[in-house]
Amino acid sequence: MSLNQLIEKCKNNDTKAQGELYKLFSGKLFSTCLKYSRNYAEAQDNLQDAFLTIFNKIEQYKHKGSFEGWLKRVTVNTVLQRYRSEKVFDIINENITEDVEVEVDEDEISVDYLLQIIQDLPDRYRLVFNLYALDGYSHKDIAEMLEITVGTSKSNLARARQILKQTIEQHNKKQNLQSL
C-alpha cells in the first residue's frame, strides 16, 4: 500500500492503517519527542499525545509538501502545547547575554551524554535551544510557537548555551583528572 493510500485510510479512521502509520513513523517521531522532553518516559507520553493529535488532524493534511515534515510539525507543536499549558515561560528574564559558543570535542563527549545534558536543561532553555540550534527555527518563529517575545527567545538560547558550556567544561575537567 502506498503512503497516500495509507493516509487516506487513516482519514477514514481505519485502525489498521493507523497502526501501520504508527509503525512507519513512531521511531522518527520518538526521537523528536525525546529531543524536547525531560526524559524517556515523558517522551513516550508525548509521542502518544502526538499520534492522537495526528489522527485527529490528519484530515488537514492536503498532500502538499512532505508528509513526514507535517508529522514532525504536529509532533513538535503537540509537545510545545504541553509546556505552554504548564506555564514554563512565566518567570523569564529578558536580559540578553553575550552569545556563547559551545565547542564539543566529539572524541571526549558521547552523543548520549550530550543528549542527556540537553534534556537536563530547564524546560524553557531546552525548548528554545532545540528549536533554534537543532531544528533551525528563527527567534521570531520560536517566539510565535512558544508565545514569548523574541528577546526572551534570544535570552533563553544564550542561557542554555552558557549552561551547556559550563557542564561540558566540568565534564572535561573531570575526565582530565581521571586520566592523571
Side-chain angles (χ1 to χ4, degrees):
M1 168 179 350
S2 75
L3 181 58
N4 286 337
Q5 291 171 321
L6 189 61
I7 293 167
E8 290 307 313
K9 286 187 176 196
C10 286
K11 286 181 179 183
N12 292 321
N13 294 318
D14 181 321
T15 55
K16 188 175 177 184
Q18 289 173 338
E20 284 298 312
L21 191 74
Y22 183 88
K23 281 187 212 171
L24 198 57
F25 291 103
S26 61
K28 288 181 181 181
L29 296 180
F30 181 73
S31 65
T32 298
C33 289
L34 194 57
K35 213 171 22 172
Y36 289 96
S37 301
R38 294 176 190 113
N39 54 51
Y40 193 89
E42 187 176 88
Q44 289 175 315
D45 290 344
N46 286 332
L47 179 67
Q48 296 309 313
D49 291 345
F51 268 100
L52 289 173
T53 303
I54 287 165
F55 294 137
N56 286 330
K57 294 187 174 194
I58 199 160
E59 273 300 318
Q60 295 175 7
Y61 180 68
K62 303 297 181 198
H63 300 278
K64 292 181 181 171
S66 159
F67 182 65
E68 189 173 328
W70 182 83
L71 291 173
K72 184 177 177 186
R73 202 166 38 256
V74 170
T75 301
V76 169
N77 286 332
T78 301
V79 174
L80 295 180
Q81 184 59 41
R82 166 181 264 179
Y83 292 111
R84 281 193 295 268
S85 67
E86 289 178 8
K87 306 259 188 251
V88 298
F89 293 100
D90 279 354
I91 303 171
I92 303 241
N93 179 354
E94 287 198 24
N95 293 332
I96 299 173
T97 57
E98 64 189 66
D99 198 19
V100 176
E101 286 299 317
V102 180
E103 292 185 24
V104 177
D105 184 348
E106 295 168 11
D107 295 333
E108 293 184 26
I109 298 190
S110 72
V111 172
D112 289 338
Y113 177 73
L114 198 53
L115 179 60
Q116 182 59 53
I117 63 174
I118 291 170
Q119 284 180 320
D120 289 344
L121 287 169
D123 294 334
R124 62 184 175 263
Y125 301 147
R126 183 185 68 253
L127 296 174
V128 171
F129 178 82
N130 285 334
L131 288 166
Y132 185 86
L134 302 180
D135 287 331
Y137 287 97
S138 71
H139 285 294
K140 181 178 183 259
D141 291 339
I142 294 168
E144 289 172 7
M145 292 168 80
L146 299 179
E147 299 173 359
I148 59 176
T149 67
V150 170
T152 298
S153 177
K154 289 179 180 180
S155 176
N156 286 340
L157 176 64
R159 185 66 185 124
R161 286 179 170 165
Q162 286 176 335
I163 292 169
L164 290 173
K165 182 178 181 180
Q166 289 169 350
T167 305
I168 290 169
E169 286 172 352
Q170 289 171 352
H171 174 78
N172 288 344
K173 283 180 187 175
K174 196 177 192 182
Q175 293 295 92
N176 289 339
L177 287 175
Q178 288 177 351
S179 66
L180 292 178

